[in-house]
Amino acid sequence: MKKLVHVVAAVAASALLVACGGGAQDGRLAASASRAKQAAPGAQATAPMLDYIAALDWAPTAYPQYFSGASSDGYADIAGYGTFYYRYWPAQGNYVGILGDDVYVYGPMNGNTVQRVGALADFACRVYDCVASAPPPAWANFGRDERHTARSGVATQSLDRITWSTPVDLQPQYTSTGALLIHYGSPVVTARNTVIVPVKTGATDGFRIEAHAGGDGSLLWSADSDYVLPAHHWTPSYNIALTPGGLLLAPGAGGKLMVRSAPDAAQGAMQNVVFYGQAAYDANPAAFNQTIFINTPLTTDTRGNVYFGFIAAGANPAGLTSGLARIGPDGQGSWVSAAAAVGQAGIVKVATNSAPALSPDGSTVYVTFNGDPVPFVTQRGYLVALDSLTLAVKHKVLLTDPQSGTPARVSDDSTASPTVGPDGRVFFGVLETVFGAHNARGWLLQFSPQLVPTLSPGAFGWDDTASVIPAAMVPSYTGPSSYLLAVKYNNYAGTGTGDGDNRIAVIDPGVSEPDPISGIPVMKVVLAISGPTFESGTSGPVKEWCINTMAVDPLTRSILVNSEDGVLYRWDLVTNTLSQGIRLTEGLGEAYTPTAIGADGKVYAVNNARLYSVGR
């Protein structure tokens, strides 16, 4: 470690570099989706994105003589260079590290010299074998990955300017006070930096998918979807997803998925795959379109499976009842009903807007089930662990309010989804049983991989999916945890004892402190920062943080976060300051929105029905 305070890391010597090849794709989700043998036309101009962790993991496989045995990760500030993220192999004394987009090596392997060996993109096709398969997407799901960690694989660009923008809602429905009570879906980004955006086209329904070049926002292609929203209060999100094999998936009507191979290509067609069988759907599409509704974001895993919730709103030819669907990479589907998964009266469906999440080894899928909303009745729910292949029930737990011990509220107006930590612990946000008893902040519940309640809850959970950050991202942290959680931490003025000090926070899942509202033990706040813009005047409540998931950038030790004041901010975890901000709009009250990071490090945020691309 001593010399590492002078050094960085990398994945090989420059002589070992091999130029990137083409982008053929395999691993089709459905047999009907055509195999794309060559890279998309024009895609060669954009090198595929390489996740820096994947690069570090690859080094021992490619060059065991230099990098083998136990290793450790960390940060090092090197004069004349900057702050490196590194990995160190003590058996050989060699380091591999990342500085921005560049890869370095240091150690006996090169005479103890800090040596740049290339850019991350130069190694992408060595790591991923681009000739055999498509490189994994830069941002594949809500919360980036199947665990919803929201951790970027590349360094973000400086927030200098809006590079381009595009509408995500062609007919936004404002309330009488000018607010937007709609959850917008997250963009997804391919390894070659095509940004694919779900767009609402009508006042109450109607959707299409648009693919934009990440560099300048030019439209590459668009496709209409026949998707129909389920019954709702706040408008639910319409989320798309990418598979590791390079397929784009989008919800359609009747519970089907629309599938497009080679999403970087300007030309291509959508094909359908149906979890209960294409033949059944084709025999009576109208019956299914009127009764079966996908009601959650799609979650794809590293094996090419996709999971999503659906609602059966009436009798249908396949005898479907509301539950969870899985489609494998071979296009074969299966499903489990809410009744079979939970076995509790009143729990009838997967919670609307709540994306399934996978365990680190991919063997378990975590899903939230709840009841239909009924006025003046707590919309309670269960978190259930299912076998990711068979959908057999492994574990389940009633979601309870840690202050009252009674069932918590699992609202369909929330987009809270399970987050799974590197050690398999599961985190899920709920509302308190009695609205306002905890200032409408709710709770972030914490469970073991077997869904045993463990340690303390977080003191905020409403409409928020926790992001996972390595503890080393926070230099001031001295606690025992290897990772921390980034969460919204609003304290709504006029609700309970809420004072309007709306914050974002980094909290410790392994250490507790008394909750200032309820007095019960909650996850300790490691860092927190208040919104910088007052609601009115020069004092009092501040604007809310307008996010349901934050984007995490370990390479710059920062978090990208959107505010209702209309500004996208960079939260620097080294200085605990909002080190950058760029105004997107004049701001407005709206349902919470996601942030995402592109393959080239641009940052994407939604404000007032538009998606903004921000970079240098």
Side-chain angles (χ1 to χ4, degrees), residues 78-164:
I78 313 301
Y81 289 92
T83 300
F84 290 91
Y85 187 100
Y86 68 80
R87 183 165 294 175
Y88 172 55
W89 286 266
Q92 294 81 28
N94 291 321
Y95 297 91
V96 174
I98 312 295
L99 177 63
D101 297 328
D102 295 323
V103 182
Y104 289 73
V105 293
Y106 174 92
M109 67 177 288
N110 69 341
N112 294 320
T113 300
V114 177
Q115 179 185 7
R116 181 185 180 275
V117 295
L120 276 168
D122 296 329
F123 291 94
C125 293
R126 298 289 313 280
V127 176
Y128 295 138
D129 187 7
C130 297
V131 174
S133 61
W139 203 273
N141 292 291
F142 172 78
R144 188 191 182 222
D145 55 37
E146 71 274 14
R147 295 191 290 119
H148 307 143
T149 64
R151 189 220 72 191
S152 174
V154 297
T156 52
Q157 296 185 20
S158 179
L159 307 182
D160 296 337
R161 65 187 181 96
I162 296 170
T163 62
W164 57 273

Side-chain angles (χ1 to χ4, degrees), residues 325-345:
R326 169 191 172 271
I327 301 177
D330 59 357
Q332 296 301 304
S334 58
W335 64 282
V336 61
S337 69
V342 182
Q344 296 290 324

Side-chain angles (χ1 to χ4, degrees), residues 15 31 44 58 72 84 134 176 181 190 199 201 216 227 267 276 383 409 415 427-428 432 481 500 525 530 555 573 579:
Q44 296 293 341
W58 170 79
S72 60
F84 290 91
S176 58
L181 299 184
T190 71
V199 179
T201 59
D216 61 9
Y227 176 74
Q267 301 297 321
Y276 51 87
L383 186 60
R409 296 174 64 214
T415 58
F427 305 90
F428 183 71
E432 60 263 40
S481 299
V525 174
S530 299
L555 294 180
L573 301 186
S579 60

Side-chain angles (χ1 to χ4, degrees), residues 147-509:
R147 295 191 290 119
H148 307 143
T149 64
R151 189 220 72 191
S152 174
V154 297
T156 52
Q157 296 185 20
S158 179
L159 307 182
D160 296 337
R161 65 187 181 96
I162 296 170
T163 62
W164 57 273
S165 71
T166 188
V168 295
D169 190 346
L170 303 187
Q171 296 191 47
Q173 301 296 295
Y174 298 96
T175 68
S176 58
T177 60
L180 275 174
L181 299 184
I182 177 172
H183 288 293
Y184 293 114
S186 174
V188 295
V189 187
T190 71
R192 286 191 164 84
N193 206 35
T194 298
V195 181
I196 307 173
V197 185
V199 179
K200 174 174 162 285
T201 59
T204 59
D205 243 319
F207 295 90
R208 74 171 177 235
I209 304 101
E210 294 183 351
H212 295 261
D216 61 9
S218 56
L219 182 67
L220 301 177
W221 58 265
S222 67
D224 291 330
S225 170
D226 61 357
Y227 176 74
V228 178
L229 290 167
H232 57 271
H233 176 216
W234 289 8
T235 305
S237 60
Y238 178 68
N239 278 272
I240 56 182
L242 292 163
T243 71
L247 293 177
L248 172 71
L249 310 177
K256 66 178 179 285
L257 296 185
M258 302 168 59
V259 183
R260 178 180 167 125
S261 61
D264 299 297
Q267 301 297 321
M270 288 284 190
Q271 301 188 36
N272 294 336
V273 60
V274 184
F275 73 89
Y276 51 87
Q278 186 72 49
Y281 178 80
D282 289 343
N284 196 343
F288 289 106
N289 291 349
Q290 294 166 10
T291 57
I292 307 302
F293 305 90
I294 294 174
N295 73 319
T296 72
L298 311 179
T299 297
T300 57
D301 69 9
T302 57
R303 301 171 185 175
N305 299 295
V306 58
Y307 304 86
F308 54 91
F310 67 93
I311 290 174
N316 56 85
L320 302 172
T321 57
S322 301
L324 179 84
R326 169 191 172 271
I327 301 177
D330 59 357
Q332 296 301 304
S334 58
W335 64 282
V336 61
S337 69
V342 182
Q344 296 290 324
I347 305 299
V348 297
K349 63 181 184 64
V350 177
T352 296
N353 287 319
S354 185
L358 277 293
S359 61
D361 66 0
S363 66
T364 303
V365 58
Y366 296 97
V367 187
T368 307
F369 293 84
N370 69 353
D372 286 325
V374 177
F376 310 111
V377 175
T378 298
Q379 194 175 9
R380 62 194 180 97
Y382 277 75
L383 186 60
V384 181
L386 302 170
D387 183 282
S388 62
L389 294 179
T390 67
L391 302 185
V393 177
K394 299 170 77 170
H395 314 284
K396 62 184 177 183
V397 63
L398 175 67
L399 298 167
T400 59
D401 182 326
Q403 181 178 6
S404 66
T406 54
R409 296 174 64 214
V410 181
S411 172
D412 287 341
D413 286 341
S414 171
T415 58
S417 300
T419 296
V420 181
D423 57 358
R425 277 184 287 173
V426 185
F427 305 90
F428 183 71
V430 298
L431 269 174
E432 60 263 40
T433 306
V434 177
F435 183 81
H438 196 236
N439 298 357
R441 292 161 57 90
W443 306 94
L444 183 67
L445 304 183
Q446 178 174 189
F447 303 96
S448 73
Q450 295 76 35
L451 298 187
V452 176
T454 181
L455 300 176
S456 299
F460 192 100
W462 159 240
D463 202 352
D464 188 47
T465 299
S467 301
V468 178
I469 65 172
M473 276 185 68
V474 185
S476 61
Y477 178 70
T478 58
S481 299
S482 61
Y483 67 91
L484 306 170
L485 302 173
V487 295
K488 187 167 57 188
Y489 225 64
N490 293 334
N491 194 23
Y492 304 106
T495 304
T497 60
D499 58 6
D501 183 13
N502 298 315
R503 301 185 292 166
I504 45 178
V506 171
I507 56 178
D508 189 340

